Amino acid sequence: MNCRRNKKIIISFIYKFLERLIVKGIGLLISIILARLLLPKQFGAIAILLVFIDIGQTFVQGGLNSALVQSKETTLDDYSTVFFISLFTAIITIIILWIFAPVIDIYYEKIGLVLPLRVFSLSLIFSAFNSIQVAKLQREMKFKQIMICSTLASIISGIIGIFAAFIEKNIWSLIIYYFSNTVITCFVMMFVSKWKPKLVFSVSRAKTLFSYGWKMLVSSILCSLYNNIRSLIIGKLFSQEDLAYYNRGQQISDTVGNTLDITIQSVMFPVLSEVQDSDERTLGLLKKTISFGSFIIMPAMLGLAATSESLVSILLTDKWLPSVFYIEMICIGNMTIPLVSSNLVAIKSMGKSDLYMKLEVIRRIAMLVVLSVSAIFFDSAKAIAIGYFISAWLDFVIVATTMNYELQYGVIEQFRTFYKSFFAAIIMCIVIKEIAYLKLCSLVILLLQIICGIVLYSFMSIVLKNENIYILKNILSRMLKTSK
């Protein structure tokens, strides 16, 4: 039974990872095409809008959908109840954004954000639908279906966005792209999830779910504000071009980094929730998640950092080369994603939403101190990026220290879990970084870096006896056999 369960977890993990990787990859490809058609200034403007939309989506999706997944028993009435709460929240958020749109535009020196923000905010209504659809499929471990829906929506919305950019080379083409992605995802998942809201609202269930969900909502809001505050600061203190370079660097690094983050959150949350009453089983799954996640994400992040100059030059052209520094710094910080996310999911799945919220407050205060020092004393967008990777590793220390009190699994114990992947990734990064100095064209250098990186990391993993390489080999072999 445990063997079958482990296989199901790992297969779900792979499907969710592929779903996020494909969606992020398609999004990156679309943004590359749009970056060639549009100016960095226009990307800077949409980055500001995305901050407020992302915060709005956090209010709509941030708490009760997690309660649906965490709850041991969930009924169809629960889904409808949470949906109407999310829909009401979306409408209130839209009204607030409509009222404050002129204020936001004035704050950013009247760069024409009023109408675009008001139109863009309407996508929150579809986000309310989608949050329930995803929660239902996630709870049922139907990650293959989620992958298909997200991929289809990304392709269709990407085509629409590119077509719009050819017709009208301005911020509206970007809004059309993002808006259409939300709408199409919602409609595609409507058929796959086979869920439609009923005219049912249970006050008692709303109270029960809210007792857990409101703490998760507060935590999500703090997280969203912190994740977006750099864009707000850079957009205000520096130029729109600086913001565009920073966001482009963040988008490229997040294509892999946040892909794994969401994968861990989505797959491990329902799994760990089922064993929430057993600390021993929770610890065992946590160790496996950190070990396998680190094996995948650490070489991917350092590999991306080492190849970033060639990658940007080929994909985005040399006008985007200033974003290379940001890619490198953010990638070093994103190495901690499997570590932090795995620990947080474990705490959340144990039903300790109060501890999760308190920890979120402590983490964000510590990170804001680092951010404040970076922004105030160094007065540089690059300093803010350096502060990001410092705060990311500080975040790991804070979260792991908390886990030491919960499961006796602290910083040193966790380091023992991932150190093989950590050192193999560093050695790989140093070697392939040197390849960039060869006097060859960017494409040849990039191909050499990728091939050498994969071979060297695999070799180091075998030498260090990292069992994850054999686990990955077995998973890929099984998936290939299934597809035949």
Side-chain angles (χ1 to χ4, degrees):
M1 182 64 72
N2 288 335
C3 182
R4 289 182 180 178
R5 181 174 182 76
N6 288 337
K7 287 181 180 179
K8 183 178 180 181
I9 293 171
I10 294 175
I11 293 298
S12 296
F13 188 94
I14 293 295
Y15 272 127
K16 186 61 185 179
F17 182 74
L18 288 175
E19 181 253 326
R20 286 291 88 196
L21 190 62
I22 291 171
V23 170
K24 287 281 187 178
I26 293 173
L28 180 60
L29 177 62
I30 299 303
S31 70
I32 288 170
I33 298 172
L34 293 175
R36 289 175 171 269
L37 296 172
L38 305 174
L39 299 173
K41 182 178 180 180
Q42 293 162 336
F43 277 89
I46 195 66
I48 295 173
L49 294 183
L50 284 171
V51 168
F52 294 99
I53 298 302
D54 183 62
I55 294 172
Q57 286 180 336
T58 301
F59 278 98
V60 174
Q61 303 177 348
L64 292 180
N65 59 337
S66 295
L68 287 173
V69 180
Q70 193 274 339
S71 178
K72 286 189 174 182
E73 294 183 4
T74 301
T75 66
L76 291 177
D77 289 351
D78 290 343
Y79 289 117
S80 295
T81 298
V82 173
F83 165 71
F84 285 114
I85 295 174
S86 298
L87 182 60
F88 175 76
T89 305
I91 294 171
I92 295 299
T93 305
I94 291 170
I95 293 172
I96 292 173
L97 289 175
W98 274 60
I99 293 173
F100 284 95
V103 178
I104 295 170
D105 189 47
I106 292 172
Y107 182 76
Y108 285 100
E109 300 177 358
K110 296 184 178 181
I111 57 176
L113 298 178
V114 178
L115 185 58
L117 179 56
R118 286 176 171 173
V119 173
F120 203 174
S121 68
L122 298 176
S123 66
L124 295 176
I125 293 176
F126 297 94
S127 295
F129 277 91
N130 187 237
S131 66
I132 310 301
Q133 296 166 334
V134 172
K136 185 174 185 295
L137 292 174
Q138 183 178 326
R139 183 178 175 84
E140 296 169 356
M141 300 289 284
K142 293 182 178 179
F143 294 101
K144 183 177 181 180
Q145 289 85 340
I146 295 176
M147 179 183 72
I148 294 171
C149 293
S150 300
T151 301
L152 185 61
S154 296
I155 294 173
I156 296 174
S157 62
I159 294 172
I160 293 173
I162 293 171
F163 183 73
F166 271 108
I167 296 176
E168 197 73 32
K169 293 181 173 59
N170 56 31
I171 191 175
W172 285 104
S173 59
L174 294 169
I175 291 175
I176 290 171
Y177 165 55
Y178 287 110
F179 198 116
S180 62
N181 183 269
T182 304
V183 175
I184 294 169
T185 301
C186 180
F187 278 102
V188 172
M189 283 196 176
M190 185 181 297
F191 293 101
V192 175
S193 66
K194 297 179 181 179
W195 174 83
K196 295 179 181 178
K198 300 188 298 181
L199 292 175
V200 175
F201 187 89
S202 173
V203 176
S204 61
R205 287 300 293 161
K207 289 180 179 179
T208 301
L209 293 169
F210 190 73
S211 65
Y212 173 88
W214 78 267
K215 299 166 190 173
M216 301 308 302
L217 175 60
V218 172
S219 301
S220 297
I221 291 171
L222 289 173
C223 181
S224 179
L225 288 172
Y226 173 75
N227 289 338
N228 288 296
I229 196 169
R230 289 181 181 83
S231 295
L232 294 175
I233 292 174
I234 294 173
K236 179 60 180 178
L237 298 182
F238 309 105
S239 66
Q240 290 184 51
E241 285 79 6
D242 284 328
L243 177 57
Y245 295 138
Y246 178 88
N247 275 54
R248 181 62 58 229
Q250 186 176 45
Q251 182 188 26
I252 291 175
S253 60
D254 284 355
T255 297
V256 177
N258 276 8
T259 293
L260 185 64
D261 185 17
I262 296 173
T263 301
I264 293 172
Q265 298 271 357
S266 301
V267 176
M268 297 312 299
F269 186 32
V271 172
L272 286 167
S273 294
E274 291 183 12
V275 298
Q276 57 185 280
D277 297 326
S278 173
D279 287 351
E280 184 178 350
R281 294 174 68 188
T282 299
L283 179 59
L285 285 170
L286 176 58
K287 286 182 178 180
K288 290 179 181 179
T289 305
I290 288 178
S291 179
F292 190 74
S294 300
F295 175 75
I296 298 294
I297 197 63
M298 288 186 172
M301 287 291 93
L302 288 184
L304 182 56
T307 61
S308 56
E309 185 172 350
S310 302
L311 194 66
V312 169
S313 180
I314 294 170
L315 298 179
L316 300 176
T317 71
D318 290 349
K319 70 179 180 180
W320 287 94
L321 282 177
S323 64
V324 169
F325 178 83
Y326 300 109
I327 296 173
E328 294 172 342
M329 293 300 103
I330 294 172
C331 280
I332 295 173
N334 281 351
M335 288 175 67
T336 64
I337 282 177
L339 316 178
V340 175
S341 288
S342 300
N343 283 288
L344 292 178
V345 168
I347 294 172
K348 187 166 60 171
S349 65
M350 290 188 288
K352 297 185 177 182
S353 57
D354 53 343
L355 174 61
Y356 190 95
M357 184 179 67
K358 292 175 183 176
L359 182 58
E360 192 70 29
V361 173
I362 295 171
R363 294 169 59 218
R364 300 312 166 189
I365 289 175
M367 294 180 187
L368 284 174
V369 170
V370 176
L371 176 58
S372 299
V373 172
S374 303
I376 297 173
F377 291 97
F378 294 95
D379 191 28
S380 165
K382 288 186 176 181
I384 292 176
I386 294 172
Y388 173 82
F389 96 76
I390 293 174
S391 63
W393 282 97
L394 174 62
D395 190 23
F396 162 62
V397 173
I398 293 172
V399 173
T401 301
T402 303
M403 191 55 70
N404 188 48
Y405 290 101
E406 294 297 320
L407 296 174
Q408 289 74 54
Y409 189 47
V411 175
I412 296 175
E413 290 77 12
Q414 293 193 29
F415 181 74
R416 289 172 180 164
T417 302
F418 68 81
Y419 79 92
K420 293 180 181 179
S421 300
F422 180 77
F423 286 121
I426 290 177
I427 293 172
M428 177 207 69
C429 178
I430 293 172
V431 172
I432 65 175
K433 183 70 174 176
E434 294 300 314
I435 297 176
Y437 297 105
L438 296 175
K439 294 182 179 180
L440 300 170
C441 71
S442 297
L443 181 58
V444 174
I445 288 175
L446 180 61
L447 291 174
L448 284 174
Q449 287 177 317
I450 293 173
I451 295 171
C452 289
I454 294 173
V455 172
L456 182 57
Y457 184 71
S458 300
F459 175 74
M460 288 299 301
S461 297
I462 294 172
V463 170
L464 293 172
K465 297 180 180 179
N466 192 331
E467 63 179 8
N468 288 295
I469 191 167
Y470 302 107
I471 294 174
L472 181 62
K473 178 184 175 182
N474 291 334
I475 292 171
L476 294 176
S477 298
R478 193 180 301 117
M479 292 183 71
L480 287 173
K481 288 179 181 178
T482 304
S483 62
K484 290 181 180 180

